[in-house]
Amino acid sequence: MPSSSFGASLATPKLNVAIDTGNPFLNVTVDGFLKIGTVAAAKSLAEDAYYVVKGGNFSGRKIEHSLKKMCKEGAYWGTVAGMYVGMEYGMERIRGTHDWVCCLYLTI
């Protein structure tokens, strides 16, 4: 029966999070989803914080809208990154090598 575990380490300036699902393909895909999804959510938060500071108006509706936007952006870009990393990993496993030709197949 497969088991999963969670591990994290913090080293300046890196934060590594490892989720072991028991399947290397899923490990790589989930890792890509989490890393890029977090970056997209942080970018969205930074943009909204800039507009709040610049505009000066701070309301509950804006916070709610900002939170929804953060979740949507994180989920969207995380899904795209997870699919890309998963496809790249699959192509690498099929071909047996890791090179730029693998990435060219994905763009054609």
Side-chain angles (χ1 to χ4, degrees):
M1 182 146 197
S3 64
S4 63
S5 62
F6 177 81
S9 67
L10 177 63
T12 308
K14 277 189 169 181
L15 172 66
N16 291 325
V17 176
I19 296 179
D20 185 15
T21 61
N23 184 343
F25 174 73
L26 287 177
N27 290 344
V28 172
T29 304
V30 169
D31 185 53
F33 176 85
L34 290 176
K35 285 182 179 177
I36 301 302
T38 303
V39 169
K43 177 188 173 286
S44 178
L45 177 65
E47 287 175 351
D48 288 344
Y50 171 76
Y51 289 120
V52 165
V53 169
K54 185 178 177 183
N57 54 357
F58 190 71
S59 68
R61 294 190 98 184
K62 289 207 180 254
I63 293 172
E64 183 180 346
H65 176 71
S66 177
L67 189 60
K68 285 181 182 179
K69 184 179 170 190
M70 266 179 40
C71 292
K72 285 179 185 177
E73 290 286 321
Y76 174 76
W77 286 109
T79 302
V80 170
M83 287 175 45
Y84 175 77
V85 171
M87 286 174 44
E88 184 176 317
Y89 178 80
M91 292 295 290
E92 178 182 338
R93 295 283 296 185
I94 290 168
R95 293 188 70 239
T97 60
H98 179 71
D99 56 9
W100 287 103
V101 176
C102 168
C103 297
L104 291 176
Y105 286 137
L106 296 175
T107 59
I108 295 176

mmCIF file of all heavy atoms in Angstrom, residues 51-83:
data_model
loop_
_atom_site.group_PDB
_atom_site.id
_atom_site.type_symbol
_atom_site.label_atom_id
_atom_site.label_comp_id
_atom_site.label_asym_id
_atom_site.label_seq_id
_atom_site.Cartn_x
_atom_site.Cartn_y
_atom_site.Cartn_z
ATOM 1 N N TYR A 51 -0.962 48.130 -5.427
ATOM 2 C CA TYR A 51 -2.111 48.965 -5.774
ATOM 3 C C TYR A 51 -2.841 49.478 -4.535
ATOM 4 O O TYR A 51 -3.378 50.580 -4.545
ATOM 5 C CB TYR A 51 -3.069 48.213 -6.696
ATOM 6 C CG TYR A 51 -2.496 48.039 -8.076
ATOM 7 C CD1 TYR A 51 -2.283 46.782 -8.617
ATOM 8 C CD2 TYR A 51 -2.132 49.138 -8.849
ATOM 9 C CE1 TYR A 51 -1.743 46.621 -9.876
ATOM 10 C CE2 TYR A 51 -1.588 48.990 -10.113
ATOM 11 C CZ TYR A 51 -1.402 47.733 -10.619
ATOM 12 O OH TYR A 51 -0.857 47.576 -11.865
ATOM 13 N N VAL A 52 -2.850 48.702 -3.453
ATOM 14 C CA VAL A 52 -3.470 49.172 -2.217
ATOM 15 C C VAL A 52 -2.655 50.322 -1.630
ATOM 16 O O VAL A 52 -3.201 51.344 -1.210
ATOM 17 C CB VAL A 52 -3.600 48.014 -1.196
ATOM 18 C CG1 VAL A 52 -3.900 48.542 0.195
ATOM 19 C CG2 VAL A 52 -4.683 47.051 -1.627
ATOM 20 N N VAL A 53 -1.336 50.184 -1.632
ATOM 21 C CA VAL A 53 -0.482 51.249 -1.097
ATOM 22 C C VAL A 53 -0.562 52.490 -1.983
ATOM 23 O O VAL A 53 -0.641 53.613 -1.486
ATOM 24 C CB VAL A 53 0.976 50.757 -0.971
ATOM 25 C CG1 VAL A 53 1.922 51.903 -0.679
ATOM 26 C CG2 VAL A 53 1.068 49.692 0.102
ATOM 27 N N LYS A 54 -0.552 52.283 -3.273
ATOM 28 C CA LYS A 54 -0.608 53.416 -4.200
ATOM 29 C C LYS A 54 -1.957 54.123 -4.144
ATOM 30 O O LYS A 54 -2.026 55.349 -4.117
ATOM 31 C CB LYS A 54 -0.339 52.931 -5.624
ATOM 32 C CG LYS A 54 -0.262 54.031 -6.639
ATOM 33 C CD LYS A 54 0.055 53.478 -8.010
ATOM 34 C CE LYS A 54 0.065 54.577 -9.041
ATOM 35 N NZ LYS A 54 0.292 54.068 -10.384
ATOM 36 N N GLY A 55 -3.043 53.340 -4.120
ATOM 37 C CA GLY A 55 -4.387 53.923 -4.131
ATOM 38 C C GLY A 55 -4.833 54.410 -2.772
ATOM 39 O O GLY A 55 -5.636 55.333 -2.667
ATOM 40 N N GLY A 56 -4.380 53.783 -1.712
ATOM 41 C CA GLY A 56 -4.737 54.228 -0.378
ATOM 42 C C GLY A 56 -6.060 53.705 0.134
ATOM 43 O O GLY A 56 -6.379 53.897 1.296
ATOM 44 N N ASN A 57 -6.857 53.052 -0.690
ATOM 45 C CA ASN A 57 -8.135 52.532 -0.204
ATOM 46 C C ASN A 57 -7.989 51.048 0.131
ATOM 47 O O ASN A 57 -7.468 50.255 -0.628
ATOM 48 C CB ASN A 57 -9.258 52.765 -1.208
ATOM 49 C CG ASN A 57 -8.928 52.216 -2.582
ATOM 50 O OD1 ASN A 57 -7.842 51.709 -2.810
ATOM 51 N ND2 ASN A 57 -9.876 52.318 -3.478
ATOM 52 N N PHE A 58 -8.462 50.696 1.302
ATOM 53 C CA PHE A 58 -8.285 49.361 1.843
ATOM 54 C C PHE A 58 -9.635 48.900 2.370
ATOM 55 O O PHE A 58 -10.145 49.448 3.342
ATOM 56 C CB PHE A 58 -7.246 49.434 2.969
ATOM 57 C CG PHE A 58 -6.797 48.112 3.466
ATOM 58 C CD1 PHE A 58 -5.987 47.309 2.693
ATOM 59 C CD2 PHE A 58 -7.187 47.668 4.716
ATOM 60 C CE1 PHE A 58 -5.558 46.082 3.165
ATOM 61 C CE2 PHE A 58 -6.764 46.450 5.191
ATOM 62 C CZ PHE A 58 -5.955 45.659 4.414
ATOM 63 N N SER A 59 -10.244 47.926 1.719
ATOM 64 C CA SER A 59 -11.563 47.478 2.140
ATOM 65 C C SER A 59 -11.614 45.954 2.165
ATOM 66 O O SER A 59 -10.749 45.267 1.620
ATOM 67 C CB SER A 59 -12.640 48.018 1.197
ATOM 68 O OG SER A 59 -12.508 47.425 -0.081
ATOM 69 N N GLY A 60 -12.652 45.446 2.797
ATOM 70 C CA GLY A 60 -12.837 43.999 2.885
ATOM 71 C C GLY A 60 -13.060 43.359 1.533
ATOM 72 O O GLY A 60 -12.623 42.239 1.277
ATOM 73 N N ARG A 61 -13.756 44.081 0.656
ATOM 74 C CA ARG A 61 -14.009 43.537 -0.685
ATOM 75 C C ARG A 61 -12.717 43.395 -1.478
ATOM 76 O O ARG A 61 -12.524 42.442 -2.208
ATOM 77 C CB ARG A 61 -14.978 44.421 -1.454
ATOM 78 C CG ARG A 61 -16.376 44.444 -0.829
ATOM 79 C CD ARG A 61 -17.328 45.108 -1.739
ATOM 80 N NE ARG A 61 -17.986 43.994 -2.439
ATOM 81 C CZ ARG A 61 -18.854 44.142 -3.392
ATOM 82 N NH1 ARG A 61 -19.155 45.341 -3.814
ATOM 83 N NH2 ARG A 61 -19.429 43.107 -3.951
ATOM 84 N N LYS A 62 -11.822 44.363 -1.315
ATOM 85 C CA LYS A 62 -10.536 44.287 -2.022
ATOM 86 C C LYS A 62 -9.693 43.129 -1.498
ATOM 87 O O LYS A 62 -9.002 42.459 -2.263
ATOM 88 C CB LYS A 62 -9.779 45.604 -1.906
ATOM 89 C CG LYS A 62 -10.394 46.717 -2.702
ATOM 90 C CD LYS A 62 -9.343 47.706 -3.085
ATOM 91 C CE LYS A 62 -9.976 48.824 -3.883
ATOM 92 N NZ LYS A 62 -9.669 48.748 -5.277
ATOM 93 N N ILE A 63 -9.748 42.900 -0.195
ATOM 94 C CA ILE A 63 -8.999 41.780 0.376
ATOM 95 C C ILE A 63 -9.558 40.459 -0.145
ATOM 96 O O ILE A 63 -8.808 39.554 -0.527
ATOM 97 C CB ILE A 63 -9.045 41.821 1.919
ATOM 98 C CG1 ILE A 63 -8.278 43.041 2.428
ATOM 99 C CG2 ILE A 63 -8.472 40.554 2.509
ATOM 100 C CD1 ILE A 63 -8.423 43.270 3.898
ATOM 101 N N GLU A 64 -10.865 40.351 -0.174
ATOM 102 C CA GLU A 64 -11.502 39.130 -0.683
ATOM 103 C C GLU A 64 -11.156 38.912 -2.155
ATOM 104 O O GLU A 64 -10.816 37.794 -2.563
ATOM 105 C CB GLU A 64 -13.014 39.228 -0.507
ATOM 106 C CG GLU A 64 -13.757 37.983 -0.934
ATOM 107 C CD GLU A 64 -15.255 38.110 -0.744
ATOM 108 O OE1 GLU A 64 -15.705 39.040 -0.046
ATOM 109 O OE2 GLU A 64 -15.964 37.275 -1.303
ATOM 110 N N HIS A 65 -11.214 39.971 -2.933
ATOM 111 C CA HIS A 65 -10.867 39.876 -4.354
ATOM 112 C C HIS A 65 -9.396 39.488 -4.527
ATOM 113 O O HIS A 65 -9.055 38.664 -5.372
ATOM 114 C CB HIS A 65 -11.151 41.204 -5.057
ATOM 115 C CG HIS A 65 -10.729 41.228 -6.486
ATOM 116 N ND1 HIS A 65 -11.375 40.512 -7.464
ATOM 117 C CD2 HIS A 65 -9.704 41.867 -7.102
ATOM 118 C CE1 HIS A 65 -10.765 40.706 -8.621
ATOM 119 N NE2 HIS A 65 -9.749 41.529 -8.420
ATOM 120 N N SER A 66 -8.540 40.069 -3.711
ATOM 121 C CA SER A 66 -7.113 39.764 -3.777
ATOM 122 C C SER A 66 -6.847 38.307 -3.426
ATOM 123 O O SER A 66 -6.042 37.634 -4.082
ATOM 124 C CB SER A 66 -6.345 40.680 -2.826
ATOM 125 O OG SER A 66 -4.991 40.359 -2.819
ATOM 126 N N LEU A 67 -7.517 37.791 -2.416
ATOM 127 C CA LEU A 67 -7.351 36.401 -2.020
ATOM 128 C C LEU A 67 -7.822 35.441 -3.112
ATOM 129 O O LEU A 67 -7.157 34.442 -3.414
ATOM 130 C CB LEU A 67 -8.090 36.140 -0.716
ATOM 131 C CG LEU A 67 -7.861 34.799 -0.052
ATOM 132 C CD1 LEU A 67 -6.378 34.629 0.276
ATOM 133 C CD2 LEU A 67 -8.690 34.684 1.207
ATOM 134 N N LYS A 68 -8.961 35.750 -3.717
ATOM 135 C CA LYS A 68 -9.457 34.923 -4.815
ATOM 136 C C LYS A 68 -8.499 34.945 -6.002
ATOM 137 O O LYS A 68 -8.227 33.914 -6.614
ATOM 138 C CB LYS A 68 -10.836 35.406 -5.273
ATOM 139 C CG LYS A 68 -11.950 35.034 -4.345
ATOM 140 C CD LYS A 68 -13.283 35.516 -4.880
ATOM 141 C CE LYS A 68 -14.412 35.199 -3.938
ATOM 142 N NZ LYS A 68 -15.701 35.682 -4.441
ATOM 143 N N LYS A 69 -7.971 36.123 -6.304
ATOM 144 C CA LYS A 69 -7.027 36.251 -7.413
ATOM 145 C C LYS A 69 -5.749 35.468 -7.130
ATOM 146 O O LYS A 69 -5.214 34.804 -8.010
ATOM 147 C CB LYS A 69 -6.704 37.725 -7.646
ATOM 148 C CG LYS A 69 -5.801 37.973 -8.823
ATOM 149 C CD LYS A 69 -5.548 39.466 -8.998
ATOM 150 C CE LYS A 69 -4.454 39.700 -10.004
ATOM 151 N NZ LYS A 69 -4.022 41.082 -10.021
ATOM 152 N N MET A 70 -5.266 35.527 -5.881
ATOM 153 C CA MET A 70 -4.072 34.769 -5.507
ATOM 154 C C MET A 70 -4.286 33.274 -5.719
ATOM 155 O O MET A 70 -3.430 32.579 -6.271
ATOM 156 C CB MET A 70 -3.735 35.003 -4.034
ATOM 157 C CG MET A 70 -2.755 36.083 -3.771
ATOM 158 S SD MET A 70 -2.417 36.317 -2.013
ATOM 159 C CE MET A 70 -2.358 34.702 -1.353
ATOM 160 N N CYS A 71 -5.423 32.770 -5.269
ATOM 161 C CA CYS A 71 -5.710 31.342 -5.406
ATOM 162 C C CYS A 71 -5.842 30.936 -6.866
ATOM 163 O O CYS A 71 -5.323 29.889 -7.283
ATOM 164 C CB CYS A 71 -6.977 30.981 -4.640
ATOM 165 S SG CYS A 71 -6.793 31.116 -2.856
ATOM 166 N N LYS A 72 -6.522 31.748 -7.664
ATOM 167 C CA LYS A 72 -6.690 31.437 -9.088
ATOM 168 C C LYS A 72 -5.352 31.434 -9.821
ATOM 169 O O LYS A 72 -5.060 30.529 -10.592
ATOM 170 C CB LYS A 72 -7.622 32.443 -9.754
ATOM 171 C CG LYS A 72 -9.078 32.254 -9.419
ATOM 172 C CD LYS A 72 -9.926 33.301 -10.108
ATOM 173 C CE LYS A 72 -11.372 33.199 -9.697
ATOM 174 N NZ LYS A 72 -12.187 34.258 -10.307
ATOM 175 N N GLU A 73 -4.536 32.462 -9.576
ATOM 176 C CA GLU A 73 -3.232 32.544 -10.239
ATOM 177 C C GLU A 73 -2.327 31.391 -9.825
ATOM 178 O O GLU A 73 -1.661 30.783 -10.655
ATOM 179 C CB GLU A 73 -2.550 33.882 -9.915
ATOM 180 C CG GLU A 73 -3.191 35.080 -10.559
ATOM 181 C CD GLU A 73 -2.915 35.166 -12.037
ATOM 182 O OE1 GLU A 73 -1.794 34.865 -12.468
ATOM 183 O OE2 GLU A 73 -3.839 35.543 -12.769
ATOM 184 N N GLY A 74 -2.302 31.094 -8.529
ATOM 185 C CA GLY A 74 -1.478 29.998 -8.042
ATOM 186 C C GLY A 74 -1.906 28.662 -8.623
ATOM 187 O O GLY A 74 -1.073 27.855 -9.043
ATOM 188 N N ALA A 75 -3.210 28.419 -8.662
ATOM 189 C CA ALA A 75 -3.706 27.156 -9.208
ATOM 190 C C ALA A 75 -3.446 27.067 -10.711
ATOM 191 O O ALA A 75 -3.042 26.014 -11.215
ATOM 192 C CB ALA A 75 -5.195 27.017 -8.927
ATOM 193 N N TYR A 76 -3.656 28.167 -11.429
ATOM 194 C CA TYR A 76 -3.457 28.155 -12.878
ATOM 195 C C TYR A 76 -2.001 27.893 -13.237
ATOM 196 O O TYR A 76 -1.688 26.952 -13.968
ATOM 197 C CB TYR A 76 -3.918 29.481 -13.484
ATOM 198 C CG TYR A 76 -3.612 29.597 -14.957
ATOM 199 C CD1 TYR A 76 -4.373 28.912 -15.894
ATOM 200 C CD2 TYR A 76 -2.551 30.368 -15.406
ATOM 201 C CE1 TYR A 76 -4.082 28.998 -17.241
ATOM 202 C CE2 TYR A 76 -2.251 30.460 -16.753
ATOM 203 C CZ TYR A 76 -3.025 29.779 -17.668
ATOM 204 O OH TYR A 76 -2.725 29.860 -19.002
ATOM 205 N N TRP A 77 -1.100 28.720 -12.715
ATOM 206 C CA TRP A 77 0.308 28.579 -13.068
ATOM 207 C C TRP A 77 0.917 27.316 -12.473
ATOM 208 O O TRP A 77 1.813 26.705 -13.070
ATOM 209 C CB TRP A 77 1.098 29.818 -12.663
ATOM 210 C CG TRP A 77 0.798 30.949 -13.581
ATOM 211 C CD1 TRP A 77 0.074 32.068 -13.278
ATOM 212 C CD2 TRP A 77 1.153 31.063 -14.956
ATOM 213 N NE1 TRP A 77 -0.031 32.871 -14.386
ATOM 214 C CE2 TRP A 77 0.624 32.277 -15.433
ATOM 215 C CE3 TRP A 77 1.860 30.259 -15.834
ATOM 216 C CZ2 TRP A 77 0.797 32.702 -16.741
ATOM 217 C CZ3 TRP A 77 2.028 30.685 -17.142
ATOM 218 C CH2 TRP A 77 1.500 31.893 -17.582
ATOM 219 N N GLY A 78 0.436 26.897 -11.309
ATOM 220 C CA GLY A 78 0.901 25.643 -10.736
ATOM 221 C C GLY A 78 0.514 24.453 -11.592
ATOM 222 O O GLY A 78 1.305 23.529 -11.795
ATOM 223 N N THR A 79 -0.704 24.474 -12.128
ATOM 224 C CA THR A 79 -1.158 23.397 -13.002
ATOM 225 C C THR A 79 -0.352 23.362 -14.284
ATOM 226 O O THR A 79 0.073 22.286 -14.739
ATOM 227 C CB THR A 79 -2.658 23.564 -13.330
ATOM 228 O OG1 THR A 79 -3.387 23.575 -12.099
ATOM 229 C CG2 THR A 79 -3.157 22.455 -14.214
ATOM 230 N N VAL A 80 -0.125 24.517 -14.869
ATOM 231 C CA VAL A 80 0.679 24.582 -16.101
ATOM 232 C C VAL A 80 2.085 24.058 -15.837
ATOM 233 O O VAL A 80 2.610 23.244 -16.607
ATOM 234 C CB VAL A 80 0.723 26.028 -16.646
ATOM 235 C CG1 VAL A 80 1.733 26.158 -17.761
ATOM 236 C CG2 VAL A 80 -0.655 26.448 -17.133
ATOM 237 N N ALA A 81 2.696 24.486 -14.743
ATOM 238 C CA ALA A 81 4.058 24.039 -14.423
ATOM 239 C C ALA A 81 4.088 22.552 -14.124
ATOM 240 O O ALA A 81 5.002 21.842 -14.555
ATOM 241 C CB ALA A 81 4.604 24.823 -13.240
ATOM 242 N N GLY A 82 3.100 22.054 -13.386
ATOM 243 C CA GLY A 82 3.049 20.629 -13.085
ATOM 244 C C GLY A 82 2.916 19.785 -14.333
ATOM 245 O O GLY A 82 3.575 18.750 -14.472
ATOM 246 N N MET A 83 2.080 20.228 -15.260
ATOM 247 C CA MET A 83 1.926 19.495 -16.521
ATOM 248 C C MET A 83 3.219 19.521 -17.318
ATOM 249 O O MET A 83 3.641 18.496 -17.870
ATOM 250 C CB MET A 83 0.785 20.099 -17.351
ATOM 251 C CG MET A 83 -0.576 19.782 -16.806
ATOM 252 S SD MET A 83 -1.939 20.587 -17.678
ATOM 253 C CE MET A 83 -1.553 20.376 -19.369
#
